[in-house]
Amino acid sequence: MINREWHLLSRPVGWPKPEDFALVETETRTPDEGQVLVRNKYLSVDPYMRGRMSAAKSYVAPFELGKVMQGGAVGEVVESNAEGFAVGDHVLHFGGWREYATIDAKGAVKVDPDLAPLSTYLGVLGMTGLTAYAGLLRTASFKEGDSVFVSGAAGAVGSQVGQIAKLKGASRVVGSAGSDEKVKLLVEEYGFDAAFNYKNGPVSQQLREAAPDGVDVYFDNVGGDHLEAAIGSLNERGRIAICGMISVYNSTEPVAGPKNLGRLIQTRGRIEGFLVGDHYDLQPEFVREVGAWVASGELKYRETVVEGIENNLEAFLGQLRGDNTGKMIVKL
């Protein structure tokens, strides 16, 4: 069978350009012992993938030039040479950015399309959901009564952070987003107490107005002026969880850090970065608790779905621009 897959041709400088990539036709490979051939149905594009396009040393190996990229995917097994996996099973795996993937079965996890839509295993019940759960509850040490600020709050992770905080008893949840439409969504659908469009004025001023009593927890998806504003509004013993810094991913020059880090001495505040991969022990608890909220309708989610493997790159660039509401998904 003919397979289409995306290759990285050159390492982007600044914003990725179409000529840095190529959609290549290959042939599918018959699975060896212990492998399965999967026809992908949904692909994930995520901000962290921008870092993998660079050769700089990071927490995960960079994409190799001239070879297929990787990412989260959900698909159907069409050929199996692995015990415990049958044709027709649906699996979550890491062989995205392609139509078909021949993968080691040990790297695949069975998912049930009858329990939840397949796309949710890439978002609200997948890695992005666990990122929100672990970052808020473990890294930021959220406790009932905390006031919480979330940047990038209309995205897949941010929207879930705010809702989990509300469900866990936050005293106030504030979010920032990049459009008035998204601000309305945060308050009217996701139940945030307040939200603001960061394009409408200085973030520090808008945050003080939205959270006049300060914030105990800041969940950072953006960095830059949002991080500086959060430090300025941080209450005593406040905690900041650094999940991502999408505002600087495409910068070509060194980015200045917050100018007010000294305030952490006064507040005895804490900043801690985290990776979801360090918290997979929370997976059973996460699926049990969040799955119940999703089933009951207490936790709501949105997906932005782009059709076709040929549009995978545009979907990736779109989520860097903030075009998505909720999880950005490519449907094949």
Side-chain angles (χ1 to χ4, degrees), residues 74 90-92 109-118 120-121 125:
V74 176
H90 290 87
V91 294
L92 171 67
V109 178
K110 288 185 183 180
V111 296
D112 189 345
D114 295 326
L115 290 180
L118 287 174
T120 63
Y121 293 104
L125 295 179

Side-chain angles (χ1 to χ4, degrees), residues 41-46 72-74 117-124 128 156 301-308 311-312 314-316 319 324-332:
K41 292 189 173 182
Y42 294 94
L43 308 178
S44 177
V45 289
D46 302 280
V74 176
L118 287 174
S119 60
T120 63
Y121 293 104
L122 295 175
V124 65
T128 51
Y301 68 93
R302 291 279 191 98
E303 295 174 341
T304 300
V305 179
V306 174
E307 299 267 356
N311 293 314
N312 210 87
E314 180 54 32
F316 169 72
Q319 52 90 42
N324 58 303
T325 299
K327 184 74 182 77
M328 182 71 92
I329 299 282
V330 179
K331 181 180 180 181
L332 304 188

Side-chain angles (χ1 to χ4, degrees), residues 36 38 73-77 80 82-94 103-118 120-122 125-126 283 287:
V36 292
V38 180
V74 176
E76 181 180 356
V77 175
S80 176
E83 185 177 351
F85 289 85
V87 172
D89 285 345
H90 290 87
V91 294
L92 171 67
H93 62 97
F94 209 64
I103 58 171
D104 292 338
K106 63 182 180 182
V109 178
K110 288 185 183 180
V111 296
D112 189 345
D114 295 326
L115 290 180
L118 287 174
T120 63
Y121 293 104
L122 295 175
L125 295 179
Q283 182 80 18
V287 172

Side-chain angles (χ1 to χ4, degrees), residues 172-247:
R172 188 168 181 80
V173 175
V174 175
S176 70
S179 73
D180 293 340
E181 181 182 6
K182 289 181 179 179
V183 166
K184 183 178 180 181
L185 172 70
L186 292 175
V187 175
E188 296 185 0
E189 185 168 331
Y190 293 154
F192 283 57
D193 296 290
F196 60 86
N197 182 345
Y198 67 84
K199 298 176 183 177
N200 288 347
V203 174
S204 57
Q205 178 182 334
Q206 294 194 78
L207 178 58
R208 283 194 298 270
E209 293 171 354
D213 295 324
V215 297
D216 302 299
V217 169
Y218 170 48
F219 194 103
D220 190 14
N221 291 305
V222 174
D225 55 355
H226 282 73
L227 177 56
E228 186 166 297
I231 293 172
S233 287
L234 201 64
N235 290 332
E236 187 174 309
R237 305 290 178 184
R239 288 88 65 203
I240 296 174
I242 305 293
C243 175
M245 293 192 171
I246 198 169
S247 69

Side-chain angles (χ1 to χ4, degrees), residues 2-20:
I2 297 299
N3 178 38
R4 290 183 294 171
E5 57 187 34
W6 282 95
H7 289 200
L8 182 66
L9 300 184
S10 57
R11 302 203 181 278
V13 177
W15 275 89
K17 302 179 293 297
E19 52 266 34
D20 295 323

